[in-house]
Amino acid sequence: MTTNRRPPPLAFLCLVSVLCLLSSPSLASSAKRHYVVYLGGHNHGGSSATEADLQAVTDSHHDLLATHLGDMEKAKNAIRYSYTRHINGFTAVLDAEEAARIAKHPGVVSVFPDRMKKLHTTNSWDFMLLNKEIEIPSGKIWKAARFGENVIIGNLDSGVWPESKSFNDKGYGPIPAKWKGLCENNTKIGVSCNRKLIGSRLYNKGFIEDGSTADPADLYNPRDMDGHGSHTLSTAGGNFVPGVDILSAAGGVAKGGAPRARVAAYKVCFVVEDGTSCADSDILAGFDAAIADGVDVLSVSLGSEDFADYSYLADGLAIGSFHAVRSGVVVVASAGNSGPVQGTVANFAPWIVTVGASTTDRNIDVHVELGNGDRLKGTALFQKPLPDHKQYKLASAADVKLPNATAEDAILCLPGTLDPTKAQGKILACLRGKTARVDKSRQAKNAGAIGVILCNDEASGIELVDDIHYVPTSHVVYKDGVKVFRYINGTKNPTAYIAPPVTTYGNKPAPSLAAFSSRGPNVVTPQILKPDVAAPGVNILAAYTMAGDDESRKYPYQLESGTSMACPHVAGVAALVKAVHPDWSPSAVHSAIMTTARTRGNTGDKMNDLNEHESSSFGYGAGHIRPNRAIKPGLVYEVAAHEYLELLCSIGYNSSDMGELLEKGYKCPKKVKSVFDHNYPSFSVPNLGSGPVTFKRRVKNVGPPGVYAAEVKEPYGVAVKVVPDVLKFDKYGEEKSFKVMVAAKWKGAAKGYEFGGLTWTDGDHYVRSPIFVTDNLVIDQSNKIVGTY
């Protein structure tokens, strides 16, 4: 389907519920599975609800389910979660017929199977100019925000390692009175909270019902056994911790974005064989608790990257985040790690701040000296360097393969492909791909090799990662990898030396967009440009778990890469903005972070991606975050909760879908607003070939009185007109409206993807919004991009 068409109401209802499960006899089954029954919001006071109020909600869930199962005891036994505070709904083990009957019940918004999501897996703050010295200038955001003092950051992730210095409470006063949360399993074996780490909860029922398996020490304990949750939480709100490094590299002061914030961990993800797994129902439970507990900001570094049959009302993260934003909580989420493929960006709900990943100006350099005199610069970490500075035998991993292995598998250093009799004492050249980068050095070590040159494939380009390897390793860019293999293939006795790691700062260009960072356009609602911003997400040093059996690889602080790492950078900045402006709405914070972002790097040129191509708003949204600017944006684009529902109305949802999302119910207006009129801080035109488009927007003055003029950078082949092009504000809080008219300058313009921008400026503030235009973006029924025509 093309983006300007939506499914008819009945087909759409089929997508957001399970009514269509029985449309084919082959789908009707008595097999039981875990479902989420979503009923919308609550009429009681949420955080102020009494125990009697909460019990009444639980009883109502039992009653509703009993009417369809025919027995109260069956209903009570089937229910796993009752969401009783801000989110109204429950989860239950049902068969498809039962689920379909419940979906038809009046007041039920949606019924959907409990789906699994994945986690999207420090100098970064200095790089963003929060501080360049130990003494912080008074005008900087850290001083203005008192380092985020008493703002509460929640984290939906894999738990927390409470003993980390990042969560020590030395020097902290009493816990803020607004905090209503608690610390589950408050023991030394579990998680012992304090005045810094003020909350820890565990939600695992959905994971268990999915049939997934995990170590009981992980599954029944809020403690972080993976490392991901500790890393992200400390990045958002960890203490100042001096003298932190990893294997004597990347040394300095570890710190979160809001280092004096209070933090709380909501464990919803668990370690499985192929990574981590997080159930929608557990995520919803985490959201419901965090809102009631009193968090100000939620950092959510997880998501799904399967958008077939997607509905906002059948996505636990979208539902939970809506209720959080409606309750005044800023929700920040990762964009996903499926880049550089376009149309892969996740967590695209318009009420979420969606974050892509970029690099910083810090490198950990590991030089390779080839026998022909070539010197190549790569990166990696390892415990022990090569014993002598001399040339060692070098071989392609394909040339040391076992007899039963293929050269194609061996060159990737896959398990069971390397012959120890051939690899012994050599440095191996391995190609990146298929398996984890670190596992390649593990396989080389197991085969007796003494080092690895890890060569990027063409798709990975210049993206390098500072992994901790099992043998001396240098991870090199694609063009240098080509040199390595060309040297090996053209030399009778090739040799090489791998030097020890050296940390360098001030490298250029930076930032660059990470190749793995998921790209737009937004394939579900392409009129909303996603991601929103980019932030550091490559080789980020932060707190980690000390769990695990391999003592040689336990470090209290580790380097990690992913949009998972970028997300908490923005969550930390959101906490600082909330500290300075506690009365600002989530959408105002969202807008301030977007409109103050920057699209140029430290060379003055536009940001590139890590394949050395100029990046675009599909990768970085409005740009790379600038924390010091975000507290004084000048103007903000503000959105009320009901306006998000108006947006859903404009893309095909109806009143029966959304009637219970707000406390008093909601009905779509008789005259539905255009999707282009949603007050978002960006402008996206996916179908200019259908004719000119007019956007209606309004901005609120959050600075001194002033006059703002519009400056437009037109996308190639596209005319952009702003009316009026001057806005005069006489007082703080005043709002002004304007229109942006977009039209093709000639027939067939914008056949590809074209980008521009609109900036409102009074000479001191620059309120920038990106503009995206294409002639006709075509997306198929599974929400994949077919092309532009």
Side-chain angles (χ1 to χ4, degrees):
M1 67 178 176
T2 56
T3 58
N4 55 352
R5 295 201 298 270
R6 302 299 302 175
L10 183 58
F12 185 75
L13 186 60
C14 209
L15 293 178
V16 301
S17 72
V18 295
L19 291 176
C20 50
L21 286 175
L22 301 180
S23 61
S24 167
S26 63
L27 292 177
S29 169
S30 61
K32 301 277 189 178
R33 66 177 299 183
H34 197 215
Y35 287 87
V36 177
V37 180
Y38 177 48
L39 306 173
H42 283 296
N43 290 319
H44 62 59
S47 299
S48 61
T50 65
E51 287 300 320
D53 292 331
L54 304 183
Q55 186 58 50
V57 174
T58 299
D59 292 343
S60 72
H61 296 161
H62 292 157
D63 291 340
L64 189 157
L65 188 56
T67 62
H68 296 281
L69 299 187
D71 185 272
M72 180 61 75
E73 284 305 309
K74 284 184 179 179
K76 290 182 177 180
N77 290 335
I79 287 180
R80 297 296 179 265
Y81 282 118
S82 274
Y83 306 121
T84 60
R85 294 187 176 273
H86 290 265
I87 300 168
N88 189 7
F90 60 89
T91 72
V93 178
L94 307 166
D95 63 36
E97 291 184 9
E98 292 165 342
R101 288 200 303 271
I102 295 167
K104 297 177 182 179
H105 188 94
V108 172
V109 176
S110 59
V111 179
F112 54 94
D114 193 9
R115 299 182 180 92
M116 307 304 287
K117 290 180 167 61
K118 297 283 186 183
L119 293 171
H120 286 150
T121 264
T122 231
N123 164 258
S124 53
W125 296 110
D126 297 339
F127 175 62
M128 293 187 292
L129 303 181
L130 261 71
N131 71 312
K132 295 299 289 183
E133 313 289 344
I134 294 176
E135 289 297 323
I136 300 167
S138 60
K140 299 296 184 181
I141 187 172
W142 263 343
K143 276 285 181 72
R146 303 178 309 282
F147 302 93
E149 187 175 51
N150 289 336
V151 176
I152 301 172
I153 301 173
N155 193 39
L156 270 62
D157 212 293
S158 64
V160 63
W161 192 261
E163 290 80 11
S164 172
K165 292 180 181 179
S166 290
F167 309 121
N168 186 284
D169 68 350
K170 184 178 179 180
Y172 282 83
I175 294 171
K178 66 180 179 180
W179 178 246
K180 307 300 181 186
L182 52 82
C183 198
E184 292 181 5
N185 197 2
N186 194 1
T187 66
K188 194 169 184 179
I189 296 174
V191 170
S192 181
C193 290
N194 55 39
R195 290 169 298 177
K196 171 68 174 179
L197 175 61
I198 61 176
S200 172
R201 293 182 184 265
L202 169 71
Y203 298 99
N204 60 9
K205 294 176 182 178
F207 180 90
I208 293 170
E209 288 299 333
D210 182 66
S212 301
T213 58
D215 187 329
D218 184 26
L219 185 56
Y220 298 103
N221 190 333
R223 182 174 286 271
D224 182 13
M225 299 303 199
D226 177 70
H228 192 279
S230 302
H231 199 283
T232 53
L233 186 56
S234 65
T235 300
N239 291 323
F240 287 102
V241 183
V244 169
D245 62 31
I246 178 74
L247 293 171
S248 301
V253 179
K255 49 197 172 284
R260 295 294 289 179
R262 312 302 176 109
V263 297
Y266 298 83
K267 184 171 180 176
V268 298
C269 300
F270 305 90
V271 180
V272 294
E273 188 175 355
D274 62 344
T276 52
S277 194
C278 327
D280 259 340
S281 60
D282 297 333
I283 294 166
L284 268 175
F287 269 110
D288 200 33
I291 300 166
D293 288 348
V295 304
D296 299 299
V297 177
L298 270 171
S299 184
V300 188
S301 290
L302 56 89
S304 172
E305 291 164 13
D306 178 8
F307 311 130
D309 295 340
Y310 181 86
S311 165
Y312 289 112
L313 302 182
D315 176 358
L317 203 158
I319 292 169
S321 59
F322 172 81
H323 285 277
V325 168
R326 177 184 162 223
S327 301
V329 180
V330 181
V331 180
V332 185
S334 46
N337 297 340
S338 295
V341 178
Q342 292 181 335
T344 54
V345 63
N347 297 326
F348 36 67
W351 45 86
I352 295 173
V353 186
T354 311
V355 187
S358 60
T359 64
T360 69
D361 64 348
R362 184 193 66 208
N363 289 344
I364 297 175
D365 297 336
V366 178
H367 286 92
V368 175
E369 298 171 7
L370 299 179
N372 64 0
D374 282 354
R375 195 166 188 262
L376 313 175
K377 185 173 74 172
T379 190
L381 288 166
F382 42 87
Q383 286 187 321
K384 295 181 180 179
L386 292 171
D388 299 302
H389 188 165
K390 68 175 187 178
Q391 292 288 304
Y392 295 83
K393 291 181 180 179
L394 172 66
S396 166
D399 294 334
V400 299
K401 71 180 187 67
L402 287 165
N404 61 345
T406 65
E408 291 78 12
D409 286 345
I411 201 170
L412 293 166
C413 290
L414 301 185
T417 62
L418 305 179
D419 188 340
T421 63
K422 299 176 183 177
Q424 186 69 35
K426 293 178 181 177
I427 295 173
L428 300 185
C430 300
L431 186 64
R432 182 178 180 177
K434 206 164 186 177
T435 56
R437 298 176 300 271
V438 170
D439 191 62
K440 298 178 188 300
S441 65
R442 186 207 305 259
Q443 300 307 321
K445 180 181 180 181
N446 292 344
I450 60 168
V452 167
I453 303 175
L454 177 58
C455 304
N456 271 355
D457 57 11
E458 189 170 10
S460 299
I462 63 171
E463 178 188 80
L464 301 178
V465 183
D466 300 333
D467 298 310
I468 302 174
H469 286 271
Y470 287 84
V471 293
T473 298
S474 183
H475 180 183
V476 300
V477 301
Y478 171 67
K479 65 181 181 181
D480 286 343
V482 171
K483 290 180 181 178
V484 171
F485 284 110
R486 184 180 294 133
Y487 166 64
I488 292 172
N489 294 332
T491 307
K492 186 175 181 180
N493 295 303
T495 60
Y497 169 70
I498 298 173
V502 177
T503 305
T504 62
Y505 297 89
N507 293 281
K508 296 181 180 182
S512 295
L513 195 71
F516 60 74
S517 189
S518 291
R519 305 305 207 265
N522 177 345
V523 293
V524 171
T525 313
Q527 300 87 351
I528 301 294
L529 186 61
K530 289 285 183 172
D532 293 312
V533 289
V538 178
N539 300 326
I540 304 302
L541 184 65
Y544 215 67
T545 183
M546 293 298 284
D549 298 326
D550 190 347
E551 294 294 330
S552 68
R553 299 181 67 76
K554 285 186 181 179
Y555 304 98
Y557 290 81
Q558 294 230 23
L559 290 164
E560 290 285 311
S561 296
T563 55
S564 279
M565 285 65 244
C567 167
H569 278 87
V570 177
V573 173
L576 297 176
V577 176
K578 284 291 286 184
V580 177
H581 304 288
D583 58 333
W584 278 15
S585 68
S587 63
V589 176
H590 190 160
S591 173
I593 291 171
M594 284 183 66
T595 60
T596 56
R598 180 179 171 87
T599 61
R600 298 186 182 276
N602 58 5
T603 63
D605 296 326
K606 287 198 69 175
M607 280 176 62
N608 283 345
D609 63 26
L610 281 176
N611 289 315
E612 299 184 294
H613 303 299
E614 187 176 283
S615 192
S616 73
S617 291
F618 283 172
Y620 54 65
H624 197 269
I625 60 169
R626 290 197 288 178
N628 289 313
R629 297 289 185 98
I631 56 171
K632 295 181 179 180
L635 307 174
V636 294
Y637 294 77
E638 198 153 34
V639 182
H642 70 86
E643 292 180 281
Y644 292 119
L645 303 187
E646 290 177 4
L647 171 66
L648 296 183
C649 293
S650 71
I651 60 175
Y653 292 73
N654 57 48
S655 297
S656 63
D657 296 328
M658 300 181 294
E660 303 301 322
L661 287 177
L662 292 176
E663 291 175 2
K664 297 181 180 179
Y666 177 80
K667 293 187 181 299
C668 290
K670 290 182 180 179
K671 185 177 180 181
V672 177
K673 289 170 61 176
S674 165
V675 63
F676 296 112
D677 293 342
H678 182 67
N679 202 41
Y680 210 69
S682 62
F683 303 88
S684 179
V685 184
N687 293 96
L688 189 62
S690 299
V693 170
T694 297
F695 296 88
K696 294 179 182 178
R697 292 289 191 272
R698 67 182 188 280
V699 286
K700 177 191 284 189
N701 181 36
V702 292
V707 177
Y708 285 78
E711 296 179 355
V712 175
K713 181 181 179 182
E714 293 182 334
Y716 178 71
V718 178
V720 178
K721 184 178 181 181
V722 181
V723 178
D725 60 0
V726 174
L727 299 175
K728 184 176 183 293
F729 296 92
D730 296 319
K731 60 182 179 179
Y732 181 95
E734 186 178 3
E735 286 191 309
K736 297 281 186 178
S737 298
F738 64 94
K739 295 180 181 180
V740 177
M741 289 162 277
V742 179
K745 289 184 176 180
W746 56 78
K747 186 176 181 180
K751 283 295 185 184
Y753 300 133
E754 303 295 344
F755 299 91
L758 164 64
T759 302
W760 289 102
T761 181
D762 64 351
D764 292 324
H765 303 90
Y766 294 86
V767 188
R768 184 186 174 278
S769 296
I771 300 172
F772 155 64
V773 181
T774 191
D775 183 63
N776 187 31
L777 180 66
V778 182
I779 298 171
D780 67 15
Q781 293 288 345
S782 63
N783 283 326
K784 293 187 181 298
I785 295 174
V786 177
T788 57
Y789 300 99

